[in-house]
Amino acid sequence: MASDKVKIISFNVKGLLNPVKRKKIISKMKKEQAHVVYLQETHLSDKEHKKLKGMGFTHLFFPSYKSGHRRGVAILVSSKLHFEKKMEMGDKEGRFILVQGKVEGQPVTLLNIYALPGSDFSFFQKITNIMVTKTEGILICGGDLNIHLQPKLDSSSGKTNEPKALHKKINTLFKEVGLIDIWRDLFPNRRDYTYYSAPHSHKDNIHSCGIGTIDLSDHAPIYLCVDLGIWTKNSIWRLNTSLLNDPCFKEQIKAEITNYLEFNDNGESPAILWDAAKAFLRGKIIAQMALMKKLKSQTLQNLENKLRELQQLHSSTLDSSIPQQMRLIKREISKIHSEEVAFTSVILKEGKNRMDCRSYRPMCFECGL
């Protein structure tokens, strides 16, 4: 087995009351192979927050805002990690959640923060006090602080409506407790607009940090890969049974079985013939699934790259024609995610008519479209 990195994504989702949007976000996080996900502005009640659990995320921690669908943060942990919770601490106002635990035996503290726009210095003092007193092991802190720590770079206009002294006081406070904006530290002169922080004492553990595209929310997700010195797990291959709803897939497999029997059924033991057939078909299915995934991922990646280029161009030029181009690409990205969500929802419903090859999927098994 080889050493693996822990991939963390922080994402201000701007509300998850819409069940379709909720599925899109969780599907995107799974597709990105996130191990830990920080969500801000979930706008969910306790009952609704619990619906976030699933699709491979087996641990869920959250505080809800008690007076309506506002604020709210959540931490999701994938089943790919062996996570043991020790302690959980949430805010009744839905502004932060802290979880102490162990990842593959390594002590870690996960802290997700949503600071309301206009939060005063006392809130940030409270958060840093919690960091200092409640952290065990490596602290992984992220979220949406709604503050320009470097206004000239963190704002497209280079200006901010925040009190001039506030960002300086917060920068000083974070420096005192050993926190840095890790993305800004890695890219000190680049213009891009979001925030992620991590402990300075564990900076050497950072493998990579980056900003995604603004597609499913009006915020960009932030990606962080941390080396905790853990190891990957062996997994057992299982057939994705949703493929059986694809007529093209079934016809292809029937043809493969016919060809296999034609060349291998020579009168030997049926048990041996069947065991060899299972291994043969598993290899064919894995290869076809890999091709499907590659084609779909490439389409999505091309759209996201184009969107990222337009966002960066707009940041530097403020060209008024660019937002319309961005909206068109966002629509295409959203359509792909919607098709995946619809496909997943349909195949889980029993008694429905068989789907047409192109009805609910971004591509056909046979033709790749």
Side-chain angles (χ1 to χ4, degrees):
M1 296 191 299
S3 180
D4 201 10
K5 309 295 187 298
V6 175
K7 186 173 185 179
I8 302 149
I9 299 179
S10 178
F11 198 1
N12 184 318
V13 292
K14 205 67 174 180
L16 291 177
L17 278 171
N18 186 313
V20 174
K21 180 180 179 181
R22 189 160 59 233
K23 288 181 180 179
K24 285 183 184 179
I25 295 293
I26 302 303
S27 176
K28 179 182 176 70
M29 297 298 98
K30 183 179 180 181
K31 186 186 299 292
E32 297 283 358
Q33 299 182 349
H35 296 102
V36 180
V37 178
Y38 291 2
L39 301 177
Q40 302 91 41
E41 285 203 86
T42 53
H43 297 179
L44 300 176
S45 65
D46 285 354
K47 182 179 179 180
E48 291 160 340
H49 262 122
K50 293 175 182 177
K51 297 177 183 177
L52 295 174
K53 196 172 182 179
M55 295 184 70
F57 293 99
T58 51
H59 298 277
L60 170 65
F61 310 99
F62 61 86
S64 304
Y65 184 55
K66 305 303 180 183
S67 303
H69 294 108
R70 299 168 59 192
R71 308 179 190 178
V73 292
I75 295 177
L76 296 167
V77 181
S78 169
S79 59
K80 295 178 182 178
L81 290 183
H82 181 238
F83 182 79
E84 302 174 52
K85 186 192 82 170
K86 179 180 178 181
M87 184 273 285
E88 176 182 355
M89 177 182 178
D91 174 40
K92 294 181 180 179
E93 298 295 315
R95 296 174 297 177
F96 70 83
I97 178 72
L98 179 144
V99 183
Q100 283 183 11
K102 290 185 177 181
V103 173
E104 309 293 345
Q106 299 290 329
V108 297
T109 301
L110 309 176
L111 177 59
N112 184 12
I113 306 165
Y114 172 65
L116 298 175
S119 294
D120 60 21
F121 185 63
S122 63
F123 173 76
F124 296 98
Q125 284 182 310
K126 177 181 179 180
I127 291 297
T128 51
N129 286 338
I130 291 171
M131 292 178 191
V132 171
T133 58
K134 300 297 182 181
T135 293
E136 287 191 0
I138 295 178
L139 170 65
I140 302 173
C141 171
D144 186 352
L145 298 188
N146 273 308
I147 184 76
H148 299 99
L149 295 181
Q150 294 190 38
K152 291 183 179 180
L153 290 175
D154 295 340
S155 169
S156 59
S157 66
K159 300 178 182 179
T160 176
N161 294 325
E162 301 150 3
K164 292 183 178 180
L166 182 59
H167 73 272
K168 294 181 180 179
K169 292 171 67 176
I170 293 174
N171 277 319
T172 300
L173 181 64
F174 285 175
K175 185 176 181 180
E176 289 175 352
V177 297
L179 287 176
I180 59 170
D181 178 343
I182 187 62
W183 189 89
R184 177 57 66 201
D185 188 72
L186 293 173
F187 307 102
N189 299 313
R190 186 180 298 180
R191 282 186 174 275
D192 225 330
Y193 312 118
T194 192
Y195 177 84
Y196 200 96
S197 63
H200 190 274
S201 58
H202 296 287
K203 182 180 173 182
D204 291 341
N205 295 72
I206 302 300
H207 181 259
S208 63
C209 184
I211 296 174
T213 54
I214 302 173
D215 47 20
L216 298 181
S217 174
D218 62 354
H219 288 66
I222 309 101
Y223 300 81
L224 181 71
C225 284
V226 183
D227 189 349
L228 297 181
I230 63 174
W231 304 90
T232 57
K233 301 177 181 178
N234 291 325
S235 59
I236 299 174
W237 179 84
R238 289 183 175 86
L239 172 66
N240 181 354
T241 55
S242 66
L243 294 172
L244 300 178
N245 291 275
D246 182 354
C248 296
F249 174 82
K250 292 199 290 187
E251 290 302 318
Q252 180 75 15
I253 293 302
K254 286 179 183 179
E256 294 290 356
I257 292 174
T258 299
N259 292 335
Y260 173 81
L261 293 175
E262 182 180 345
F263 289 101
N264 294 279
D265 188 3
N266 52 15
E268 292 188 2
S269 166
I272 294 175
L273 184 67
W274 173 234
D275 286 340
K278 287 190 290 185
F280 169 79
L281 290 174
R282 182 168 61 245
K284 290 291 184 180
I285 293 170
I286 290 173
Q288 291 292 348
M289 289 174 63
L291 176 62
M292 292 167 60
K293 183 177 180 180
K294 180 179 179 180
L295 292 172
K296 182 175 63 176
S297 297
Q298 187 61 54
T299 299
L300 194 58
Q301 186 65 54
N302 289 341
L303 288 169
E304 291 177 346
N305 288 342
K306 180 61 177 177
L307 181 58
R308 186 178 293 108
E309 290 173 3
L310 288 172
Q311 289 171 351
Q312 292 175 349
L313 183 61
H314 186 249
S315 297
S316 59
T317 66
L318 299 180
D319 186 336
S320 60
S321 67
I322 293 178
Q324 176 60 25
Q325 300 176 55
M326 292 164 55
R327 281 192 290 270
L328 293 175
I329 296 177
K330 285 183 181 181
R331 196 174 301 159
E332 289 298 314
I333 292 174
S334 180
K335 181 181 178 182
I336 291 175
H337 286 289
S338 295
E339 288 172 340
E340 290 187 345
V341 169
F343 180 66
T344 303
S345 299
V346 169
I347 64 175
L348 292 176
K349 296 178 181 178
E350 297 181 357
K352 298 293 184 182
N353 293 330
R354 292 171 62 184
M355 294 185 299
D356 176 78
C357 178
R358 298 173 188 265
S359 295
Y360 292 99
R361 301 188 302 109
M363 65 178 66
C364 167
F365 172 80
E366 187 175 45
C367 60
L369 298 175

